[in-house]
Amino acid sequence: MIHFNPETQTFNLILQRSYYAMQVDAAGRLIHLGWGARPRHANPDDRISGQTSHRHYETKASFETQRLPLEIVPFGDVVTFQETLKVNFPSLPRDTAVGESLHLPIRDLRLRYARHDIADDAQPGLSPTHGLPVKNNSPRQTLRIHLQDPVQPFAVILCYRLTPEHDIIERWCELENNGLEPVQIEVCHFATLHLPAGTNELTAVTGSWAQEFMARRQRLHQGSFVLESRTLQTGHHANPIFMLNRPEQAGEESGSVYFGQLAYSGSWRLVFEQLPQGDVRVHGGYNPFDFELKLAPGERHITPALVQGFSDSGWGGASRQMHAFARERVLPHSPAGPRFRPVLYNSWEATYFDLNYENQVALARRAAALGVELFCVDDGWFGERRSDRAGLGDWVVSEALFPQGLEQLVQEVHRLGMKFGLWVEPEMVNPDSDLYRQHPDWVLHFPGRERTEARHQLILDYGRTEVVEHIFTVLDNLVERYAISFFKWDMNRNVTEPGSVAGKAIWYKHVAGVYSVMDRLRQKHPGLDIQSCSGGGGRVDLGMLGRADQVWVSDNTDAFDRLHIQEGFSLAYPARCMEAWVTHEHNHITRRAIPLSTRFAVAMRGVLGIGSSLHELAEAELAEYATYLRFYKQIRPIIQEGDLYRLQRLEEFGGSAIEYMLPDGREAVYSLVVEKYQVDSFHPVIPLKGLMPAAMYTVSDHHGLELYRLSGYELMTLGIPKETQWYPGFCQTWHIKAAI
Ligand code: DGJ
């Protein structure tokens, strides 16, 4: 609910368990009043009056004005601390001439309240345009507060879209140049968040290739701490998500936690700022590094969203809110698509660049026999792509590999009852390719400079409309011709020379170009699913989840490493979009040998996929695979749609226990995987969550064997009975079901 008191000029945003309040002060500035838990038993019409707010900050003699918690911090009103927005004006408007020579540009923006309205259908910038529904399409209210510079013809509309059921507010800005000359935006965050002073324990994820999403907790100190991407994609080194709480006052299931995410897949920045007096702010948006945003006269720019939320149930509660938000409000739910994410087979680790019709068909037959539902041919099927040195950009089926055309394989995959998927990397080109030979100017580069290759490839210039158009046409033709149901959309290098016909705007245009191709493809082919991949987990964020059904989280498929990667991923993203493969016994990256049960236990925590060399496996092992697949299909509604409880985190005892639970408490999945265990050390008690205390539950394993029959009360107090000696790799994946 959005409420405005015209007398006190106070805004109250009331969500399910949280509030957000701000007020227009006598000078017309929009001041943040507070954000946090609503007192228990509060009525919907209990509100903050704002009568006593902030007057103490202001005297002409003090510097306190710089500290004012402005909802948007414009460089002009404030210069001492981090700004939300910095704008360069080329002149003064004619009617405000001051009779002195001007020092230009005028880097001074002041924003004053003009009016507000409430919209039912407002959308942040770069929202999906594919037209596919989300699971919950009910309208949401957006408060739009119009702020105007008193001198310059420049306006900012601050937008607050409420999802009360998840205590989430999406924030973005609409910038309007209403003058006669272009203005240049130098810094543009989507929003600034003000947190209560001392909320300075930060949980975030950082990492690199093959170790994405490493969860880290740290204390912020006075000054600024920055997480960012300086690449064209979301990046491996950090992901734009965070949680903040007062030190040691939050736990997995308790305490007040503030959280946020950016819905943008390009060069982003999050600045965590602690002022000398302990005020904590978070600024999130475009990375000002090599940034440019020019607004022509009359032009408007709508930024993507910074999603903010509040949980009174610790980090676990914050994660569940983000998961539900992504599942219900972000991920596309095509009526033509499957209800649950299908079990996929991907041939990458089985055949790498040695693929051909015969080996793919052999894999497809084995995969189908196991119960796989979607067969995806990975890199190497096109042009001269027999290694990573050539062919990228030439999206034409290789006749040498598929003499009868790809149709033959597609038909066989369909005959076997599976859908067909194809790997593509549509933002790239190998210099050794027909595309590059025809259009050497279509890549990012600076004239007269070397074009630095990475993985022997260059990046196409999505600043050129003809490039974006070409890519759309090529992919569209592939979908039409081969009845493709699934693209694995990869992106395997970072940018080195960001030179584009679009100038510095390339950082934004690249993202907009990728989104537009995905949106157009999905609009035209509602049955097409997309998996986002970027050398593993380099492109995961809410902007991408608006057009991708699932994401590849890491190239590292070692089950033990994956426990850490998946736990970090689970802080913000739901299992429904987390593709996870079972691969070879000896992992190709880490060389570690891991039992099949452990590999399945970890992969079944997300959207199960298989990447093993099925043609090398004995019948007995294939039969084990098939048993797991049958079991996974039984439990996947709970995993893909249920609430996640991280019962024991890795940091606590060298293993991970999680539970997925359907909201009605009737069914759950319990998953324990032990990573490190010293003989005869302690076994933690792991009580379950969310069950009905009085109900009896059966606890069954992947063979459907009933192991226990216990009450919800017992399972939620003593947990699963501890019988066995643990060891590294020990695992249990159990289906818990109300017996009535
Ligand atoms: C990187 C991806 O993450 C892998 O899964 C695979 O698709 C390769 N690219 C193919 O080049």
Side-chain angles (χ1 to χ4, degrees):
M1 188 183 61
I2 297 168
H3 181 266
F4 178 65
N5 180 339
E7 270 167 42
T8 59
Q9 303 267 296
T10 312
F11 291 96
N12 276 271
L13 313 186
I14 311 285
L15 299 101
Q16 193 160 297
R17 282 161 310 200
S18 59
Y19 78 94
Y20 191 94
M22 55 209 153
Q23 184 178 30
V24 181
D25 74 0
R29 296 167 300 193
L30 186 63
I31 312 283
H32 179 83
L33 294 183
W35 173 32
R38 271 169 66 69
R40 287 182 77 190
H41 312 303
N43 293 316
D45 50 4
D46 287 334
R47 290 174 198 133
I48 288 167
S49 70
Q51 273 160 9
T52 55
S53 69
H54 301 291
R55 286 180 200 117
H56 58 281
Y57 279 114
E58 303 258 35
T59 77
K60 280 250 173 189
S62 93
F63 294 107
E64 287 296 280
T65 307
Q66 292 288 310
R67 238 191 98 196
L68 268 179
L70 297 170
E71 271 295 300
I72 178 169
V73 186
F75 186 92
D77 271 325
V78 172
V79 292
T80 309
F81 300 112
Q82 176 64 52
E83 72 275 11
T84 320
L85 195 62
K86 184 175 181 193
V87 182
N88 295 333
F89 297 103
S91 64
L92 276 178
R94 264 186 225 126
D95 53 352
T96 54
V98 284
E100 60 167 317
S101 66
L102 301 179
H103 16 266
L104 298 171
I106 298 172
R107 307 181 313 281
D108 190 334
L109 174 68
R110 319 262 166 149
L111 292 171
R112 302 292 176 261
Y113 174 78
R115 62 193 169 85
H116 70 271
D117 57 74
I118 295 172
D120 271 344
D121 54 0
Q123 301 275 351
L126 295 180
S127 288
T129 55
H130 49 56
L132 296 173
V134 289
K135 193 170 174 201
N136 183 350
N137 286 294
S138 60
R140 283 171 291 174
Q141 289 197 317
T142 303
L143 170 64
R144 293 158 45 83
I145 305 179
H146 300 243
L147 305 174
Q148 175 65 51
D149 187 287
V151 174
Q152 298 285 353
F154 188 83
V156 177
I157 305 172
L158 296 191
C159 298
Y160 300 77
R161 179 161 73 174
L162 270 55
T163 308
E165 66 274 24
H166 304 312
D167 287 281
I168 281 179
I169 305 176
E170 286 160 277
R171 301 268 308 272
W172 70 93
C173 290
E174 300 182 11
L175 315 176
E176 285 177 358
N177 177 9
N178 299 316
L180 300 172
E181 292 179 278
V183 295
Q184 192 217 343
I185 320 287
E186 200 178 318
V187 175
C188 180
H189 293 107
F190 310 157
T192 287
L193 316 185
H194 296 273
L195 280 75
T199 310
N200 61 12
E201 189 175 77
L202 169 72
T203 304
V205 293
T206 52
S208 60
W209 175 79
Q211 53 151 326
E212 298 89 338
F213 296 101
M214 294 295 111
R216 323 253 186 227
R217 193 163 306 129
Q218 71 189 78
R219 208 53 184 269
L220 298 174
H221 299 285
Q222 185 180 324
S224 291
F225 173 72
V226 172
L227 287 175
E228 64 178 347
S229 150
R230 288 174 170 237
T231 61
L232 289 168
Q233 83 281 46
T234 327
H236 293 78
H237 299 158
N239 190 273
I241 58 171
F242 63 89
M243 297 184 187
L244 278 158
N245 51 268
R246 292 184 65 189
E248 290 164 37
Q249 294 200 19
E252 189 54 31
E253 293 299 332
S254 63
S256 296
V257 173
Y258 295 81
F259 59 85
Q261 303 178 260
L262 290 175
Y264 182 60
S265 312
S267 173
W268 56 268
R269 181 171 80 155
L270 285 168
V271 182
F272 303 90
E273 185 184 29
Q274 188 166 199
L275 270 45
Q277 293 78 5
D279 308 11
V280 175
R281 298 174 178 182
V282 183
H283 315 266
Y286 301 128
N287 198 329
F289 145 87
D290 200 33
F291 176 72
E292 180 181 80
L293 175 59
K294 276 195 201 131
L295 288 189
E299 202 182 346
R300 146 193 287 234
H301 178 87
I302 307 179
T303 73
L306 193 169
V307 176
Q308 66 178 87
F310 173 81
S311 159
D312 57 7
S313 310
W315 303 309
S319 297
R320 285 189 291 281
Q321 286 164 240
M322 285 187 262
H323 296 172
F325 179 76
R327 280 197 310 263
E328 293 167 19
R329 298 289 192 170
V330 180
L331 285 164
H333 272 253
S334 169
R339 167 133 194 247
F340 299 109
R341 298 306 309 147
V343 178
L344 165 150
Y345 180 81
N346 180 293
S347 60
W348 175 241
E349 288 201 19
T351 46
Y352 291 108
F353 289 110
D354 287 330
L355 61 87
N356 55 40
Y357 171 75
E358 283 73 28
N359 62 28
Q360 297 303 295
V361 124
L363 287 168
R365 290 186 181 137
R366 291 216 149 184
L370 301 182
V372 166
E373 298 157 310
L374 167 63
F375 183 83
C376 179
V377 175
D378 210 281
D379 197 352
W381 55 269
F382 52 92
E384 294 303 313
R385 185 78 169 168
R386 300 298 83 77
S387 73
D388 61 7
R389 292 172 175 267
L392 209 49
D394 300 339
W395 302 108
V396 179
V397 174
S398 159
E399 281 180 26
L401 307 181
F402 299 95
Q404 313 295 321
L406 192 64
E407 290 89 344
Q408 199 186 11
L409 176 63
V410 177
Q411 280 158 16
E412 182 60 5
V413 166
H414 287 165
R415 195 191 64 74
L416 291 164
M418 297 182 291
K419 293 193 166 179
F420 184 76
L422 207 54
W423 176 95
V424 285
E425 194 177 1
E427 296 146 82
M428 299 291 163
V429 65
N430 283 121
D432 185 0
S433 67
D434 291 342
L435 183 70
Y436 187 73
R437 281 182 281 273
Q438 278 158 23
H439 299 287
D441 50 342
W442 273 17
V443 295
L444 295 180
H445 69 284
F446 286 115
R449 296 282 180 189
E450 190 190 342
R451 302 167 181 208
T452 309
E453 292 174 27
R455 211 192 185 208
H456 312 288
Q457 62 198 54
L458 298 169
I459 305 179
L460 289 172
D461 182 359
Y462 270 47
R464 290 176 178 268
T465 348
E466 66 272 30
V467 169
V468 177
E469 219 33 57
H470 167 79
I471 293 299
F472 171 74
T473 309
V474 163
L475 297 180
D476 182 39
N477 288 342
L478 285 174
V479 180
E480 297 263 351
R481 175 151 181 201
Y482 301 110
I484 288 163
S485 305
F486 176 89
F487 273 137
K488 174 176 172 183
W489 181 306
D490 207 344
M491 202 273 198
N492 279 306
R493 64 158 291 185
N494 292 339
V495 63
T496 38
E497 295 87 20
S500 159
V501 294
K504 290 183 184 173
I506 187 59
W507 299 101
Y508 177 85
K509 286 211 163 176
H510 188 91
V511 181
V514 169
Y515 285 173
S516 78
V517 174
M518 290 182 171
D519 286 349
R520 286 171 71 191
L521 285 171
R522 297 202 66 143
Q523 184 175 36
K524 195 162 170 207
H525 308 282
L528 175 74
D529 288 1
I530 295 180
Q531 172 169 306
S532 167
C533 169
S534 177
R539 190 143 62 188
V540 180
D541 59 84
L542 285 185
M544 184 46 66
L545 291 193
R547 48 273 290 179
D549 305 270
Q550 59 191 50
V551 292
W552 187 226
V553 183
S554 181
D555 281 347
N556 187 344
T557 56
D558 174 299
F560 291 122
D561 284 1
R562 197 74 183 203
L563 276 180
H564 293 263
I565 294 168
Q566 293 185 182
E567 186 173 289
F569 180 91
S570 82
L571 290 179
Y573 302 109
R576 184 183 169 95
C577 66
M578 184 179 77
E579 176 71 15
W581 303 347
V582 167
T583 54
H584 307 84
E585 181 180 6
H586 283 90
N587 189 270
H588 285 187
I589 288 185
T590 64
R591 306 280 156 192
R592 186 155 43 181
I594 301 180
L596 189 64
S597 54
T598 317
R599 282 177 277 148
F600 264 103
V602 175
M604 288 194 300
R605 290 174 164 205
V607 176
L608 178 63
I610 309 290
S612 322
S613 300
L614 297 178
H615 51 292
E616 290 168 5
L617 299 183
E619 288 303 324
E621 194 167 356
L622 289 171
E624 270 192 84
Y625 271 65
T627 307
Y628 279 112
L629 259 69
R630 270 195 301 280
F631 179 57
Y632 179 74
K633 287 179 188 172
Q634 248 176 48
I635 58 176
R636 78 175 151 191
I638 313 165
I639 290 167
Q640 296 186 10
E641 297 284 304
D643 286 331
L644 168 72
Y645 291 90
R646 288 180 294 257
L647 303 173
Q648 292 281 316
R649 297 226 354 214
L650 286 156
E651 61 191 355
E652 292 173 86
F653 81 108
S656 151
I658 61 172
E659 178 189 353
Y660 293 101
M661 228 260 326
L662 287 182
D664 64 6
R666 300 186 68 81
E667 273 190 272
V669 170
Y670 168 77
S671 165
L672 166 75
V673 181
V674 176
E675 183 190 17
K676 298 180 191 127
Y677 184 73
Q678 202 160 0
V679 176
D680 223 19
S681 52
F682 90 118
H683 287 214
V685 174
I686 307 177
L688 269 54
K689 305 267 184 204
L691 304 175
M692 301 177 285
M696 287 304 290
Y697 288 87
T698 56
V699 179
S700 320
D701 69 5
H702 65 284
H703 294 286
L705 187 70
E706 183 177 316
L707 305 168
Y708 306 104
R709 196 169 269 252
L710 293 164
S711 71
Y713 184 82
E714 188 148 355
L715 286 166
M716 290 193 292
T717 50
L718 298 185
I720 302 279
K722 294 172 291 178
E723 286 175 349
T724 358
Q725 180 62 44
W726 283 8
Y727 49 85
F730 175 81
C731 56
Q732 296 169 327
T733 307
W734 287 346
H735 185 186
I736 296 168
K737 199 169 173 186
I740 30 160

